[in-house]
């Protein structure tokens, strides 16, 4: 994880040296941006009689395209990928299954260089338990985020996301999965 954080910082710092035409500050939020960072996932599996909870630290990568709406509104479309499996218990994991989230992110400019946005979309993962067969899970995700430009097109962002897998007979029948994710990312808007 230390390597991922160092690589993310170096990408953010070196991107400042790329020549870009000057844009008005409110336009930095528009177009393609790429970010990477670290997250803490808290996964809960609940049955009628028991509940297990595990925390996992992991890397996260995000690709976003933001459209300009009537000032001060913006609308983003994002694909987020967790770069590591999330533990459910010592023998159970929620593993990578393509993009972890695809979300719509309506937002509003707070200042010329800060954006507050909501997240609403889909969630996808794969349940694995030792030698048992795997099952794909899908569901919904929602959350909130804050993005702040620190220098030119370089930004930092913080997000909180709640993910819930739809009812699925993964593992034992009646198991429901919920995951809270808190992330801090650095990125660049192209």
């Amino acid at each position: 994880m230390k390597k991922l954080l160092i690589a993310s910082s170096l990408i953010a710092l070196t991107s400042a040296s790329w020549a870009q035409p000057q844009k008005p500050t409110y336009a930095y939020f528009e177009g393609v941006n790429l970010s990477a960072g670290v997250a803490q996932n808290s996964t809960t599996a609940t049955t009628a009689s028991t509940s297990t909870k595990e925390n996992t630290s992991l890397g996260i990568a995000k690709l976003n395209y933001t459209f300009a709406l009537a000032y001060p509104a913006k609308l983003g479309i994002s694909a987020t990928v967790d770069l590591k499996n999330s533990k459910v218990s010592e023998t159970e994991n929620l593993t990578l299954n393509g993009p972890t989230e695809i979300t719509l992110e309506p937002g509003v400019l707070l200042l010329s260089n800060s954006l507050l946005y909501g997240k609403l979309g889909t969630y996808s993962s794969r349940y694995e338990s030792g030698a048992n067969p795997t099952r794909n899970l899908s569901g919904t995700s929602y959350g909130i985020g804050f993005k702040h430009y620190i220098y030119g097109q370089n930004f930092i962002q913080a997000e909180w996301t709640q993910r819930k897998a739809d009812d699925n007979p993964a593992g034992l029948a009646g198991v429901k999965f919920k995951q809270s994710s808190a992330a801090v990312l650095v990125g660049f808007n192209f």
Side-chain angles (χ1 to χ4, degrees):
M1 175 138 48
K2 188 185 285 186
K3 290 180 183 179
L4 180 62
L5 186 57
I6 291 170
S8 300
S9 300
L10 288 175
I11 289 170
L13 292 174
T14 58
S15 63
S17 65
W18 299 342
Q20 295 289 325
Q22 185 65 27
K23 293 185 190 182
T25 55
Y26 64 83
Y28 286 158
F29 294 98
E30 299 164 11
V32 176
N33 62 69
L34 182 63
S35 55
V38 293
Q40 178 76 25
N41 287 355
S42 176
T43 306
T44 305
T46 306
T47 64
S49 61
T50 64
S51 181
T52 63
K53 184 175 181 178
E54 287 284 337
N55 293 324
T56 308
S57 297
L58 52 102
I60 190 170
K62 184 172 182 173
L63 177 64
N64 173 277
Y65 188 89
T66 303
F67 299 93
L69 300 176
Y71 183 83
K74 304 287 182 185
L75 179 64
I77 299 174
S78 293
T80 305
V81 177
D82 289 355
L83 301 176
K84 181 180 170 186
N85 298 339
S86 294
K87 286 186 158 288
V88 176
S89 70
E90 289 300 319
T91 59
E92 300 171 304
N93 293 301
L94 294 182
T95 63
L96 307 177
N97 188 24
T100 308
E101 294 177 36
I102 305 286
T103 55
L104 284 175
E105 299 177 348
V108 62
L109 291 171
L110 300 178
L111 303 166
S112 62
N113 63 345
S114 296
L115 180 73
L116 179 66
Y117 58 93
K119 297 176 61 172
L120 182 61
T122 64
Y123 166 67
S124 174
S125 67
R126 189 172 61 241
Y127 173 80
E128 292 183 351
S129 177
N132 295 334
T134 65
R135 292 184 173 87
N136 290 331
L137 298 176
S138 61
T140 58
S141 67
Y142 60 90
I144 191 165
F146 180 77
K147 188 184 291 187
H148 180 76
Y149 279 84
I150 52 176
Y151 178 77
Q153 285 118 316
N154 299 291
F155 61 86
I156 59 173
Q157 73 187 99
E159 291 186 341
W160 174 84
T161 307
Q162 180 73 44
R163 302 166 174 170
K164 181 181 175 192
D166 293 337
D167 290 342
N168 185 312
L172 303 170
V175 177
K176 296 182 180 182
F177 295 98
K178 275 182 22 177
Q179 187 176 73
S180 295
S181 179
V184 176
L185 304 101
V186 295
F188 183 78
N189 192 356
F190 296 95

